[in-house]
Each structure stands twice: as structure tokens, then as C-alpha cells.
Amino acid sequence: MPRSWKHLLILGGLAGALIAGLGGPLTLMLRPTAAEPATQPATTWVTNGSVFAVARVGTTIYLGGSFTSVGPPTGSWVALDASSGTRDASWPVFNGPVYAMAPDGTGGWYVGGSFTRAGGLVRNNLARVKADKTIDPAWNPNANGSVQALAVSGSTVYVGGLFTSVGGQTRNRLAAIDAATGNVTSWNPNANSSVFALAVSGSTVYVGGSFTSVGGQPRNSLAALDAATGNATSWDPNANSIVYALAVSGSTVYVGGFFTSVGGQTRNRLAALDAATGAATAWNPNVNSSVYALAVSGSTVYVGGLFTSVGGQARNYLAAIDAATGNVTSWNPNANGSVYALAVSGSTVYVGGDFTSVGGQPRNYLAAIDAATGNVTSWNPNANSSVQALAVSGSTVYVGGDFTSVGGQTRNSLAALDAATGAATAWNPNVNNIVSALAVSGSTVYVGGVFTSVGGQARNYLAAIDAATGNVTSWNPNSNSSVQALAVSGSTVYVGGDFTSVGGQTRNRLAALDAATGNVTSWNPNANNIVSALAVSGSTVYVGGGLYQRRGTGTELPRRH
């Protein structure tokens, strides 16, 4: 369990107690050996969550924590083969979340998000990736806050987000940038709050967000701006809450968000507006929660978000709607978490979000779905965190988000890396909750945490795992609460945490267990508060603890704002 210990635990009335009377040699868990590689691997695989414990023995590095996967460090923007899902590693790495992208028309991409480096160059929240897969060394608009939306029209890149300055000039949440030079133009609509969506049609820039004023006029969450002057046009649908997604098709502007009224009509989270008047059309799918993504393909509007119902029919986070009637179609992929990004290419709908399953199949944050049947395809790149942006060009799918790795392997709370290559080994014990402590002795890996199962077998907070196979052993002390610290000395495993019983005996937060049987020994210091650190030297056990901090999941905000 994660924690931050503040002081030494009081044992038997003595602060900073040293507990003596131990026998046997100390097993040093992290001592380098001759078998270890002389240099570190060039790229060590990364986890998708916190790591709370590390132990290295020989050429193996064991990791324990709260992660569910481990994979190569790809950064937050990748190019994937549309058929195989394989990553093209020659594209540049971004060091922070990517929320938007738009093609530059010559085989490259404009990329926006919340990063500070791209391809090894300093780039604050905006960058241009050239067709030769390098970062444009001259194009550097330098936005001072996150970029949430991008749209390109001719020689101009329109940018929306949370920033207040671009290129050293004041630009509140909206800016226009010269597509060739990266210089900010005079276009300055001055939105008074966040912009999450952009769409350009002819001489009009449609803007969605949480603002109440833009282009010099009162406009609630939705506006049309003159592409030349930045002034708001007379188009004023007056949405009553946030707009997250926009798509223009002919004379229709499709709008998704959190609103319940727009264009003068009741419209729950999804609407079609007349591009000339701003009035809502009769199209009314009636979605029961937020819409974050839209994609129009032919006669179908694909929708992603946080919803579970569309038009009174169950649709979990994904739906297809008839563009003429507003009726939901039979297409029903059934994702198990929010969808933030959509892209359609031919007969395939690419989907990104916070899900881990689509159509009953494991798909971590990224999936490809048959546009006709709604069935998930075999394409499975396996991102390690949420996907926020998608685009398809030719045979390549471009993906941006909060992830740091794509193409990894599932590892629940416990993994082993090859110290020479940095890649994960096949060792996979599959722990069902957080691992907070690790100790390795001989052919056994001892683990402690807040789990109740290892490898499908019941193990409460403590387990021993075969270092070669990853199989859980019969060692089963059965702690009654979390284990925060472990140390092994000879045939004894010392255990600290917030338990009051282990090995079938009363032991308050500190115990010694037989390494072979798991039975508790007579050693019983009776700690009066949580133990979160242990070390053994010779005949002395050093103990630390007292205070710790639990980390919860909290309530996740929609998207990235």
C-alpha cells in the first residue's frame, strides 16, 4: 500500500527501537552480483500505475505496485499499423498527454496537448511532426497551457484549449497560427473559458467549450467565428452547458456535450444544428449522459462518451445513429468505459477512451470495430492508459492520449523485467490488488500488500512466489490486514504493516515468520502503530513507520480538463 512514513514507530516505549536477539546471516536483496549487466538497458519498460517496491537479483528486476500492465516507453503519441497494430518506433516521442492532432497536408501532423518535449526538443503543448518523422525545428508556437483542439484550413492552424498565451502574445483559449512558420496571427477571438472542440467549414470556425463570451459577443458554450476576423457571427445556438465535440456535414453542425438545451430546443447531450441559422433540427437521439466524440461517415453518426442509453435503448459508451432520422441503429459494440475519440476509415471504426473491454473482448483503451456489425476486430495495440485523440491516414492509425506505452503486456501489480534488455519477462503471478513490499531470497519472491489473491489462489496480504515460474507456493501466513514492509534474514521473514493477526497468532503490526512453513515465531515486539519500513543487519531489525497515506481513485473528470 502506498504510504509516506514520518517518524520511527514507538516499540515497547522506546522511539527508534533496535530489536536484537536474531540469529542467522542476512540475505541482501539488492546486492549487485557478477551476473548483472555492466550497463543499463537503453529503454526500460514502464508501468501504467505506481510502483511501490523494487527488488533486483542477478539479471531480474522485480516490480510491485498498483499497475495493470508493463510495456515499452512509447510516449503519448504513436503511429500504428492499421492492420497489425504494430507501432512504428521511428516517429518522435512526446513526454506528456496528447489531446489533439491535425494533418499538415504534406504527410506530417500538428499535435497539441499538455507536453513540454517532443522528439527531444522543447515544445510547450504544440508541435509539428514533419513527414520525415522529425519535429519541425522552426515551428514552435509555445502555448502556455494545454491544447485541447486543432483544425487546419489552408495556411492556418486553429488552436483551442486552456492557454492564455501563444508565441509570447496574449491569446485566451483560441489562436490562429501560420501553418508554415508557427507564428501566431492577429486572429484573436478571446474566449473567456475553455475551448474543447473546433471545426472549420469554409470561412467559418465553429467553436465548442465552456465559455460564455467569445469573438466579442456573449455566446454560451457554442459559437461560429469569422475565420478572417475572429469576430462572432450571428449564429448563436445558446447551449446551456459544455460542448465537447463538433462535426460539420454539409449544412448541418453536429454537437455533443453535457447540455440539455441547444438551438432553442430540448436536446439531451447531442443535437444537429442548422449551419446557417443555429436552430436545432428535428434530429433528436436523446442521450442520457455526456457525449465526448463524434464522427460522421455517410449516413451514420458515430458517437462516444459516458452514456449508457441512446434513444431509450441501452448503448454503453458507443452508438451509431442514423444521420437522417436520429434513430439509434443496431450497431452495439458495448464498451465498458468512457469513449473519448473516434475515427472512421473504410469499414472500420477506431475507438479510444478509458475502457478495458469492447464487445466482451479485452481491449485496453484502444480498439477497432467493424462498422457494419459492431464486432471488435483482432486489432489490439494494448495502450496502458486512456486514449484521447485518433486519426487515420492511409494504412496508419495515429493515436494520442495519457498513455506512456503501447504494445505492452498485462501484469497485475507484480512484474519482472530483464535487467539487460529492460523488457518484461514471462513471469506473471497475477496479483488482484496492490503490492507494497518485495523481498527475494534464493528461488522465492516474498510479496506483501493489500491483495487477497495471487495466481487465482487465496492469499491474504502475504504470499511467496516461485522466482522461476511465477507460481504461488504453499506458504500462506494469512495476515488479517495490509503488509507494508518485508525483510528476509536466513530462515526468517520479517513482516510489517497494519495487521493484528498473522500466521494464526496475534501480532500487532510486526511479526517474524518461518520462511519454510509460514508459521509465526515467538518474536513479538507488539508495535503500537503501522510499520512501513524494515531492514535487518546482523542481529538487529530496524523498524520505521507511524503515518502513511492511502491513495484512492477519486472521481475522474471527463476527458482532460
Side-chain angles (χ1 to χ4, degrees):
M1 177 177 293
R3 71 276 184 186
S4 57
W5 56 276
K6 305 295 185 183
H7 54 264
L8 287 176
L9 183 62
I10 297 174
L11 298 175
L14 295 177
L18 306 181
I19 305 170
L22 307 178
L26 170 66
T27 303
L28 296 176
M29 300 309 137
L30 301 179
R31 182 178 57 208
T33 70
E36 292 179 1
T39 60
Q40 296 297 316
T43 55
T44 299
W45 282 26
V46 297
T47 65
N48 68 334
S50 299
V51 172
F52 303 130
V54 179
R56 176 172 172 172
V57 176
T59 59
T60 303
I61 302 169
Y62 298 96
L63 305 176
S66 61
F67 50 85
T68 58
S69 74
V70 60
T74 64
S76 52
W77 188 78
V78 295
L80 306 174
D81 187 278
S83 298
S84 66
T86 302
R87 169 182 169 247
D88 182 346
S90 60
W91 289 88
V93 172
F94 286 73
N95 76 335
V98 168
Y99 302 136
M101 69 184 91
D104 70 357
T106 62
W109 293 87
Y110 299 103
V111 180
S114 189
F115 48 84
T116 58
R117 295 187 71 85
L121 298 179
V122 174
R123 287 294 182 273
N124 291 315
N125 309 312
L126 269 170
R128 181 189 176 210
V129 184
K130 298 194 298 180
D132 65 3
K133 304 179 183 180
T134 65
I135 298 298
D136 188 329
W139 202 86
N140 187 15
N142 191 32
N144 74 337
S146 73
V147 169
Q148 306 274 316
L150 290 170
V152 180
S153 179
S155 61
T156 304
V157 181
Y158 295 97
V159 183
L162 279 62
F163 52 83
T164 57
S165 171
V166 178
Q169 299 189 44
T170 299
R171 290 294 183 273
N172 291 315
R173 293 100 188 175
L174 277 167
I177 298 167
D178 187 288
T181 66
N183 296 330
V184 66
T185 75
S186 60
W187 193 81
N188 186 14
N190 192 32
N192 73 338
S193 191
S194 301
V195 170
F196 298 128
L198 291 171
V200 182
S201 179
S203 61
T204 303
V205 181
Y206 295 97
V207 184
S210 60
F211 50 82
T212 56
S213 172
V214 66
Q217 300 293 327
R219 290 292 185 270
N220 291 318
S221 302
L222 194 56
L225 306 174
D226 187 289
T229 66
N231 295 332
T233 73
S234 59
W235 193 81
D236 185 14
N238 192 31
N240 73 339
S241 193
I242 301 171
V243 169
Y244 293 124
L246 291 169
V248 181
S249 179
S251 61
T252 303
V253 181
Y254 294 97
V255 184
F258 192 61
F259 53 82
T260 57
S261 172
V262 67
Q265 302 291 328
T266 298
R267 290 293 183 271
N268 292 317
R269 290 95 186 180
L270 188 60
L273 306 175
D274 187 287
T277 67
T281 72
W283 194 80
N284 187 14
N286 191 29
V287 183
N288 77 334
S289 193
S290 296
V291 169
Y292 299 140
L294 292 170
V296 182
S297 179
S299 61
T300 304
V301 180
Y302 295 96
V303 184
L306 188 62
F307 53 82
T308 56
S309 171
V310 178
Q313 298 190 46
R315 290 293 184 275
N316 292 319
Y317 312 105
L318 271 170
I321 300 165
D322 188 287
T325 65
N327 296 329
V328 66
T329 74
S330 59
W331 192 82
N332 187 14
N334 192 32
N336 74 337
S338 296
V339 169
Y340 300 139
L342 293 167
V344 183
S345 179
S347 61
T348 304
V349 181
Y350 295 95
V351 183
D354 273 336
F355 52 82
T356 56
S357 170
V358 178
Q361 301 292 320
R363 290 294 184 274
N364 290 319
Y365 312 106
L366 193 55
I369 301 166
D370 188 287
T373 65
N375 295 330
V376 67
T377 74
S378 59
W379 193 79
N380 187 15
N382 194 31
N384 76 343
S385 191
S386 70
V387 167
Q388 306 274 356
L390 287 170
V392 183
S393 180
S395 61
T396 303
V397 182
Y398 297 90
V399 185
D402 294 319
F403 56 84
T404 56
S405 177
V406 173
Q409 299 179 24
T410 299
R411 293 291 185 273
N412 291 315
S413 302
L414 194 57
L417 305 181
D418 186 295
T421 66
T425 72
W427 194 79
N428 186 15
N430 190 29
V431 184
N432 77 333
N433 211 329
I434 297 170
V435 170
S436 302
L438 289 171
V440 186
S441 180
S443 61
T444 303
V445 181
Y446 296 96
V447 295
V450 295
F451 52 83
T452 57
S453 170
V454 178
Q457 297 191 45
R459 289 295 183 274
N460 292 318
Y461 312 107
L462 268 171
I465 300 165
D466 189 287
T469 66
N471 296 330
V472 66
T473 74
S474 59
W475 193 82
N476 187 13
N478 193 31
S479 173
N480 74 337
S481 192
S482 72
V483 169
Q484 309 259 339
L486 290 168
V488 182
S489 180
S491 61
T492 303
V493 181
Y494 296 95
V495 184
D498 62 357
F499 51 84
T500 56
S501 172
V502 66
Q505 302 291 325
T506 299
R507 289 294 184 273
N508 290 317
R509 304 167 185 94
L510 195 55
L513 307 172
D514 187 287
T517 65
N519 294 332
V520 69
T521 73
S522 59
W523 191 80
N524 187 13
N526 192 30
N528 75 339
N529 209 329
I530 296 162
V531 171
S532 48
L534 287 171
V536 186
S537 179
S539 61
T540 303
V541 180
Y542 297 89
V543 184
L547 299 180
Y548 71 102
Q549 184 178 38
R550 294 178 185 266
R551 295 182 186 179
T553 58
T555 302
E556 184 180 353
L557 292 174
R559 292 199 83 174
R560 59 267 179 170
H561 48 278

